[in-house]
Amino acid sequence: MSVQERKQRERAERERLIVATARELAEQQGWDAVTTRRLAERIEYSQPVLYSHFRGKREIIGAVALQGAAEMAVAVRAAASGANGPRERAAALARTYLDFAERNPAVYDAMFQLDGGLAFAREDTPEPLKDAFAALLESLGEVAGDGVHPGLFTEVFWAALHGLATLTRAGRLLPEDAAPRVELLVDRLAVV
């Protein structure tokens, strides 16, 4: 291994450590607790080293969001692949999405609530975000119904899921009604 390759590997490892530490701190104490000073202390590197990887907290949030999008895409595809039929895939996708949001609140915030400097629904949207949407579209496109654009249907279904995740987390919806909400969403929106 060349010196250059070793340095690149070490840099990538430091970057993964920064992102993992930010994510852990945010999940434990919220994003307000994530500062470059605290991250530098926790990873035992100086703040200038941290800034050599990320220009600030906004970029760190973006990195966590990209990581979360990739994880969510994998989870959604796995859940959908284990379901029988289009309706069951849509329901499995919905349950998996809501479960991901509940289990990873800080990551979910990084993905959809906080400014991570990422472009959505544009040409320059980062690939992990495009892939997360594609994972939703793969299962939802087939239940959009005749004459309904699959991408538009996926956006509306996703918006409904996001609303459910956000309202549930804020304590605005009864947690015991989570399963009936998913069934109602799938029954009313998914055409099979």
Side-chain angles (χ1 to χ4, degrees):
M1 174 181 303
S2 73
V3 172
Q4 181 67 18
E5 289 172 331
R6 181 183 52 80
K7 285 184 179 186
Q8 287 175 339
R9 188 187 72 230
E10 289 171 354
R11 180 172 177 75
E13 287 174 14
R14 270 194 314 273
E15 196 165 297
R16 279 191 294 276
L17 178 62
I18 293 166
V19 171
T21 303
R23 182 175 174 164
E24 178 184 322
L25 187 56
E27 291 293 2
Q28 291 171 351
Q29 300 176 31
W31 279 105
D32 287 342
V34 179
T35 63
T36 53
R37 174 172 284 150
R38 287 185 83 185
L39 285 174
E41 289 172 2
R42 282 205 174 193
I43 64 172
E44 298 178 345
Y45 283 104
S46 67
Q47 281 183 289
V49 169
L50 194 102
Y51 283 116
S52 74
H53 290 273
F54 299 99
R55 285 181 280 183
K57 183 175 176 176
R58 181 179 187 218
E59 284 189 5
I60 294 168
I61 290 169
V64 170
L66 293 176
Q67 188 180 72
E71 291 171 8
M72 188 175 75
V74 167
V76 163
R77 284 187 175 111
S81 73
N84 295 318
R87 186 197 178 288
E88 289 77 18
R89 276 191 289 282
L93 174 148
R95 286 189 298 273
T96 300
Y97 182 97
L98 294 171
D99 182 58
F100 181 89
E102 181 182 346
R103 286 185 299 104
N104 304 283
V107 173
Y108 192 82
D109 284 350
M111 292 168 66
F112 302 120
Q113 302 291 105
L114 301 174
D115 179 10
L118 304 173
F120 282 83
R122 294 190 344 213
E123 284 290 320
D124 60 339
T125 298
E127 201 53 46
L129 298 179
K130 288 180 182 178
D131 188 53
F133 185 78
L136 299 175
L137 181 61
E138 289 163 12
S139 291
L140 295 173
E142 63 187 338
V143 296
D146 292 337
V148 177
H149 188 278
L152 184 61
F153 176 81
T154 300
E155 289 174 347
V156 170
F157 199 94
W158 172 30
L161 289 174
H162 177 69
L164 289 174
T166 302
L167 291 170
T168 300
R169 186 160 150 213
R172 304 296 197 271
L173 300 175
L174 295 172
E176 59 268 18
D177 290 337
R181 276 189 212 98
V182 167
E183 292 302 314
L184 179 63
L185 178 66
V186 172
D187 285 344
R188 299 298 176 170
L189 290 183
V191 177
V192 182

